[in-house]
Amino acid sequence: MPIRRRTLVKLGAVGAAIGLSSRVRATIAAERSARPLRILILGGTGFIGPSQVAYALARGHKVSVFNRGRHESELPDAVELLVGDRDSGDLAALAGREWDVCIDNPVRVPHWVRDAGRVLAGRVGHYILVSTISVYAKNDMPGADENAPLLAYAGNDALQETSETLRKDQALYGPLKVACEHEAAKQFADITTIVRPSLIAGPGDPTDRFTYWPVRMARGGDIAAPGDGSDPVQFIDVRDLSEWMVRLAEARAFGTFNAIGPGNPLRMDAMLHGMHSDDARLHWLSTDFLAAQRIESWSDMPVWLPARGDSAGFARRSNAKARAAGLVFRPLATTAADTLVWFRSLPTERQANLNAGLVAEREMKLLAAWRSAGEHTD
């Protein structure tokens, strides 16, 4: 498989010297690390990767990125690009190479971890796997930490599952992530870090789950908001997550961490009011009314889940261990403003088709039904 070594450039003042895209340029105000590392990032051009690459370069590390080579132009010149395909098991570009740390971003199925373990055995000193808080079996207990019970994979052989299987059955997402974690512990015994992010927000968000709200608040007018505003919310800025993972590599911090923000408890009403808009009029629609209207949390009302019953602890999961390991958070207003700037830089067609939230016509009908039901107090 071809390996293209990009020309390494001497990094001057962070920013334009690295030539990064606008969505990560503000990320990289960083001091240089006392111990430069050779970092291999599996992925590197998705949602998390660009911020990791930018921050790692700014810290003085050497970065290699392994992926299918479809977004080569998005990488800074200082990055070494290694091309392969994990679906087909083609990891030849990694053979015989050594790195201080491997950050594995896009893992979907356990055989990806197994294959990486086979080619990198004894050749990396630290393996960091991006998992998810969707690995937990229950979400009913506020304050649950990394020791909470995990989902169980119920199939015949997790190592036989493919990306195509997962595309067909999203219910396998959590159980297969658990299986990926188990495979990581097997392949990279004693040198593994598991990072379990909550909803990831910020510039570059492909899901629009967080993005919907700053975009909708900026549009103003009458806005349908979920519940009574008191439900808790949790998410993490992609840059906070990515930068912290690089620092975990520098510290050789092993173990499992819930990568969850913000730093202090945040309610839905505080989140929306934190996305300042002079012309936004929030109307809080009760959870029961939304259920009767078949409004789905996370798709129609993203970020939000009612804090009751089986989801009572969903947005109250503990991040204490990660904070003790150096996870810090930028202000909500910064995340919201930067996300809006990024979104407005996208093509018009993309802006017109958000991947989450209510389209305008449906929101208007929902508000009309709410007023007809006599629930409003405004």
Side-chain angles (χ1 to χ4, degrees):
M1 198 64 181
I3 300 175
R4 186 180 58 74
R5 294 183 181 276
R6 306 187 119 217
T7 305
L8 293 175
V9 297
K10 184 176 180 180
L11 299 178
V14 240
I18 299 177
L20 301 169
S21 66
S22 60
R23 73 180 172 98
V24 297
R25 200 169 287 144
T27 299
I28 55 177
E31 297 180 358
R32 295 176 73 84
S33 172
R35 184 172 68 96
L37 299 174
R38 296 165 299 167
I39 299 177
L40 169 65
I41 299 178
L42 304 182
T45 55
F47 186 19
I48 302 174
S51 295
Q52 287 173 340
V53 170
Y55 190 72
L57 292 176
R59 297 279 284 175
H61 303 304
K62 293 183 178 180
V63 178
S64 302
V65 166
F66 175 88
N67 56 40
R68 288 176 291 181
R70 296 178 178 178
H71 302 281
E72 174 184 345
S73 63
E74 298 177 12
L75 291 169
D77 288 341
V79 173
E80 177 189 32
L81 176 63
L82 307 176
V83 178
D85 188 339
R86 300 178 79 176
D87 268 329
S88 65
D90 180 8
L91 280 74
L94 305 180
R97 299 289 303 279
E98 294 187 359
W99 289 274
D100 297 302
V101 59
C102 170
I103 299 177
D104 202 343
N105 286 328
V107 169
R108 299 183 181 93
V109 287
H111 82 78
W112 284 19
V113 183
R114 178 202 62 197
D115 295 347
R118 288 174 175 174
V119 73
L120 295 174
R123 297 184 179 277
V124 293
H126 189 181
Y127 176 77
I128 303 177
L129 173 71
V130 178
S131 186
T132 171
I133 60 167
S134 295
V135 297
Y136 292 111
K138 294 183 177 181
N139 293 295
D140 58 347
M141 184 64 66
D145 62 14
E146 291 84 353
N147 296 312
L150 304 180
L151 292 165
Y153 171 74
N156 294 325
D157 185 355
L159 287 169
Q160 296 301 314
E161 301 287 9
T162 65
S163 297
E164 182 62 27
T165 304
L166 185 56
R167 278 191 287 268
K168 292 178 179 178
D169 186 0
Q170 283 297 308
L172 288 172
Y173 176 70
L176 285 179
K177 280 288 194 178
V178 174
C180 289
E181 292 186 10
H182 292 163
E183 190 64 22
K186 177 181 177 181
Q187 297 292 335
F188 301 94
D190 302 322
I191 60 168
T192 297
T193 300
I194 304 295
V195 176
R196 295 173 179 162
S198 57
L199 174 69
I200 305 175
D205 173 19
T207 72
D208 293 336
R209 287 173 178 165
F210 177 86
T211 303
Y212 169 76
W213 290 112
V215 170
R216 181 64 191 91
M217 291 293 289
R219 196 167 79 236
D222 293 312
I223 299 175
D228 62 4
S230 67
D231 293 308
V233 294
Q234 288 185 319
F235 53 85
I236 185 166
D237 189 296
V238 62
R239 297 160 295 184
D240 295 334
L241 171 64
S242 300
E243 294 168 17
W244 176 62
M245 289 178 65
V246 173
R247 295 195 298 274
L248 287 177
E250 294 170 353
R252 286 182 60 78
F254 305 126
T256 301
F257 301 90
N258 288 334
I260 297 172
N264 296 306
L266 182 68
R267 293 170 26 142
M268 189 71 189
D269 54 1
M271 186 190 85
L272 295 185
H273 287 300
M275 301 173 183
H276 180 71
S277 173
D278 293 330
D279 188 37
R281 297 180 295 276
L282 293 172
H283 304 289
W284 295 97
L285 282 57
S286 74
T287 300
D288 291 337
F289 173 79
L290 292 175
Q293 296 292 317
R294 298 186 178 182
I295 297 297
E296 300 287 341
S297 56
W298 284 86
S299 55
D300 298 325
M301 292 288 183
V303 183
W304 170 79
L305 268 181
R308 65 186 191 184
D310 291 342
S311 59
F314 181 82
R316 292 186 174 125
R317 200 167 286 279
S318 173
N319 64 3
K321 186 177 178 182
R323 294 180 69 183
L327 179 59
V328 294
F329 311 96
R330 66 198 66 205
L332 164 65
T334 299
T335 299
D338 291 351
T339 300
L340 186 60
V341 169
W342 162 76
F343 187 78
R344 286 174 169 171
S345 73
L346 299 178
T348 302
E349 183 179 358
R350 171 68 174 86
Q351 292 188 51
N353 293 280
L354 281 156
N355 295 314
L358 297 171
V359 297
E361 182 180 2
R362 191 178 184 199
E363 184 182 33
M364 289 175 60
K365 290 180 178 178
L366 181 65
L367 287 170
W370 170 71
R371 293 188 177 98
S372 297
E375 287 204 359
H376 66 287
T377 57
D378 44 81

